[in-house]
Amino acid sequence: MNRLDWNQLHAFLETADTGSLSAAARKLGLTQPTLSRQVAAIEASLGVTLFERVGKAMTLTAAGLDLLEHARAMGAAAESLTLAATGRAQAVEGVVTVSASDIVATCLLPPLVRAMRQQARGIAIELIASDALSDLRRREADIAVRNVKPEQPDLIARFIREATAPFYAAESWVRAHGHPRSAADAAGPAFVGSDRSGRYLAFLHHHGLPVTEASFSCYVDHSTTHWALVQQGLGIGAMMEEIAAATPGVVRVLDDVPPLRFPIWLVTHRELRTSRRIRTVFDGLAEGLAAAAA
């Protein structure tokens, strides 16, 4: 293998980030043929295929994924050297992508983003609001807020805290239907369902609630819409305690039923060790999410 050329390495990184030769070329101020030659050159130098070319898209191969973090570490080292030489080593700039469930992205993250922007104005945060898990290894996000611990050994995970989610209903619903307090009281009232496959029904059964399919007034598989339906008086639903506390017009019901409990994990890839902007956002999110319950 020949000694790596920095321009070729830069071409590889930008193509991996943007997913296309044309976008990477625009970002680097090059023509697309020039960038394509640099990508081909680094593939030839390394002796592996880094990208699969599907139409205009450039998708990382397994070999490309394996080498990406090493390339990022080299790029970060070169960038740090440049910053130090120009007296800008303390600058923290760039975009950091954060994925979270739609309810967390909507209700918990905006004030944390505002606080981080006040502290590090060079950082722009892109939020991905989705109940699906982002694939950090394929760079769908830099940081993810999850309720399960990742199993991949090359990801960095920090346990933030255990969250609680009691059951709530709209005040108007309680006035019309009464205030159920015990698990036995759950046999009659309407619930807002989250799926029609039976998983949510089994989940409620696991927590001792004697509900049936007939208990559900409606279904929705997104937590923000689920919460909106609860607020509109469609029935009972569970919600994180801190989010419910900030929501007017709802009241806790099934008070004698223990709240649902689940962990909050903050997950990122190994670039946390070399990227100051990712570490800045990661630490800010960790502190803010830990304090959110208070």
Side-chain angles (χ1 to χ4, degrees), residues 56-218:
K56 295 182 178 180
M58 300 286 284
T59 304
L60 284 166
T61 63
L65 282 170
D66 289 339
L67 295 176
L68 179 61
E69 296 307 322
H70 299 290
R72 289 192 182 285
M74 294 174 64
E79 182 180 1
S80 296
L81 179 64
T82 301
L83 291 175
T86 58
R88 296 187 295 116
Q90 298 305 312
V92 184
E93 300 176 343
V95 178
V96 177
T97 304
V98 179
S99 72
S101 68
D102 58 335
I103 193 71
V104 169
T106 300
C107 299
L108 295 186
L109 295 190
L112 304 186
V113 171
R114 180 183 60 190
M116 284 185 283
R117 280 284 299 169
Q118 292 173 343
Q119 296 174 2
R121 294 193 175 277
I123 293 178
I125 298 176
E126 177 187 9
L127 289 182
I128 300 176
S130 173
D131 287 340
L133 293 182
S134 295
D135 189 340
L136 298 183
R137 298 183 69 189
R138 288 188 175 275
R139 303 310 298 259
E140 292 179 355
D142 295 310
I143 301 170
V145 183
R146 293 183 177 175
N147 300 130
V148 293
K149 183 178 180 180
E151 297 180 353
Q152 298 92 332
D154 55 341
L155 295 181
I156 297 173
R158 183 186 299 181
F159 174 73
I160 304 300
R161 61 181 170 90
E162 184 178 62
T164 57
F167 292 92
Y168 296 90
E171 292 175 349
S172 59
W173 186 94
V174 172
R175 287 194 298 269
H177 301 281
H179 191 134
R181 298 189 180 276
S182 67
D185 293 339
F191 280 74
V192 176
S194 66
D195 65 75
R196 299 179 63 187
S197 65
R199 290 194 304 268
Y200 189 60
L201 179 64
F203 178 76
L204 295 178
H205 285 169
H206 178 73
H207 285 82
L209 300 180
V211 296
T212 66
E213 287 288 352
S215 302
F216 297 122
S217 65
C218 53

Side-chain angles (χ1 to χ4, degrees), residues 260-276:
L260 312 182
R261 296 182 178 276
F262 53 90
I264 296 179
W265 289 89
L266 206 57
V267 186
T268 187
H269 41 69
R270 289 176 295 180
E271 192 180 346
L272 177 70
R273 299 190 181 102
T274 57
S275 173
R276 291 189 65 239

Side-chain angles (χ1 to χ4, degrees), residues 212-225:
T212 66
E213 287 288 352
S215 302
F216 297 122
S217 65
C218 53
Y219 299 88
V220 64
D221 62 357
H222 286 86
S223 49
T224 301
T225 309

Side-chain angles (χ1 to χ4, degrees), residues 167-173 191-192 218 224-239 249-251:
F167 292 92
Y168 296 90
E171 292 175 349
S172 59
W173 186 94
F191 280 74
V192 176
C218 53
T224 301
T225 309
H226 186 278
W227 188 230
L229 292 171
V230 171
Q231 294 176 67
Q232 288 298 315
L234 270 298
I236 296 171
M239 182 47 59
V250 296
V251 61

